Amino acid sequence: MTTAMTTLAATPSYDTALVLFSGGQDSTVCLAWALERFARVETVGFDYGQRHIVEMEVRPRLRARMAALKPEWGDRLGDDHRISLDALAAISDTALTRDTEIAFAETGLPNTFVPARNLIFITFAGALAYRRGARAIVAGMCETDYSGYPDCRDDTVKAMQVALSLGLDKRVTIHTPLMWIDKADTFALAREIGGQPFLDLVVEESHSCYLGDRTQRHAWGYGCGTCPACRLRAEGYMKFAAR
Ligand code: ZN
């Protein structure tokens, strides 16, 4: 955690949002989406022993460059929080947290699936949002991803919204602006929100590659080019660029 916490919860505000910000393409676009809509925007990132820890390293640079891109974004962008979830790595045995080949299991899910990861992220985000007075949580889950992670589905997120609102006894809204759009549309949304400079920033600075490769630069950004996350990002970018 980079921020000193007060012992009491801040006054709840519908103008304050907490963005689940991993440094990936989706969460970077979500951060821009939130900066256009809320008076104050804070970010949270989770360190759970992921192999692509480089994601966590690109976050401060992304935040700094976004704050510099538009004066109003700079004014609205608040604290960053980093939460260590070592326990999640300890109970997981997946290709995201272990050095194993990425593959698809008999269930049809890739072994990059970390069981309950997003349920845990949303729960911690809810606790943090409560303390920071944010009534809105913004997250980049989407149903159109190839992987079909069940904890990214709209019904799962809505169930978590109800659970948090009941459990905190405060109305919490979870916004998922990317839920029904694919990666090509996410690139298009980036340009719509922040123009070409923001699109360029997303391509250059956001990180998707599961293997954490930032040595190879493609038209769509850095990555190994072959892992599922790189392929998804590359295909999305090509589809977007061809329009
Ligand atoms: Zn990759």
Side-chain angles (χ1 to χ4, degrees), residues 209-210 224-225 227 230:
C209 177
Y210 281 154
C224 71
C227 78
C230 278

Side-chain angles (χ1 to χ4, degrees), residues 137-198:
I137 293 171
V138 181
M141 289 84 178
C142 82
E143 285 214 11
T144 55
D145 267 357
Y146 74 104
S147 48
Y149 292 164
D151 58 349
C152 289
R153 290 179 191 149
D154 194 46
D155 284 354
T156 306
V157 175
K158 286 194 164 65
M160 290 302 290
Q161 173 176 297
V162 173
L164 283 180
S165 296
L166 290 172
L168 296 171
D169 200 20
K170 292 269 189 299
R171 179 75 183 163
V172 176
T173 307
I174 305 176
H175 299 269
T176 53
L178 311 183
M179 183 58 76
W180 306 109
I181 67 175
D182 64 12
K183 283 282 183 284
D185 288 334
T186 302
F187 281 114
L189 181 61
R191 191 166 60 188
E192 189 185 312
I193 294 173
Q196 190 66 35
F198 178 57

Side-chain angles (χ1 to χ4, degrees), residues 20-153:
L20 273 70
F21 180 57
S22 69
Q25 174 194 347
D26 290 345
S27 69
T28 301
V29 177
C30 281
L31 177 54
W33 184 91
L35 286 168
E36 287 287 300
R37 281 165 183 78
F38 294 91
R40 181 169 176 82
V41 178
E42 300 193 358
T43 53
V44 59
F46 298 100
D47 181 353
Y48 58 99
Q50 62 268 50
R51 275 164 65 176
H52 50 308
I53 190 69
V54 62
E55 243 190 14
M56 297 300 288
E57 289 157 12
V58 302
R59 295 171 74 258
R61 194 165 61 242
L62 266 167
R63 279 176 43 96
R65 285 198 57 189
M66 287 176 72
L69 202 63
K70 286 189 179 191
E72 63 268 34
W73 286 9
D75 292 343
R76 292 168 188 163
L77 186 58
D79 292 338
D80 183 37
H81 311 270
R82 185 167 167 161
I83 296 176
S84 174
L85 292 178
D86 293 343
L88 186 56
I91 59 169
S92 298
D93 181 18
T94 80
L96 279 196
T97 51
R98 297 272 187 279
D99 192 15
T100 52
E101 197 72 19
I102 295 170
F104 285 81
E106 281 173 17
T107 55
L109 282 171
N111 64 353
T112 49
F113 175 59
V114 180
R117 177 177 57 169
N118 285 316
L119 305 183
I120 293 164
F121 285 179
I122 291 171
T123 303
F124 272 84
L128 181 59
Y130 185 93
R131 298 289 295 273
R132 304 297 297 170
R135 283 294 182 90
I137 293 171
V138 181
M141 289 84 178
C142 82
E143 285 214 11
T144 55
D145 267 357
Y146 74 104
S147 48
Y149 292 164
D151 58 349
C152 289
R153 290 179 191 149

Side-chain angles (χ1 to χ4, degrees), residues 102 207-213 220 222-231:
I102 295 170
H207 183 87
S208 301
C209 177
Y210 281 154
L211 305 183
D213 187 331
W220 44 266
Y222 290 95
C224 71
T226 53
C227 78
C230 278
R231 284 207 301 271

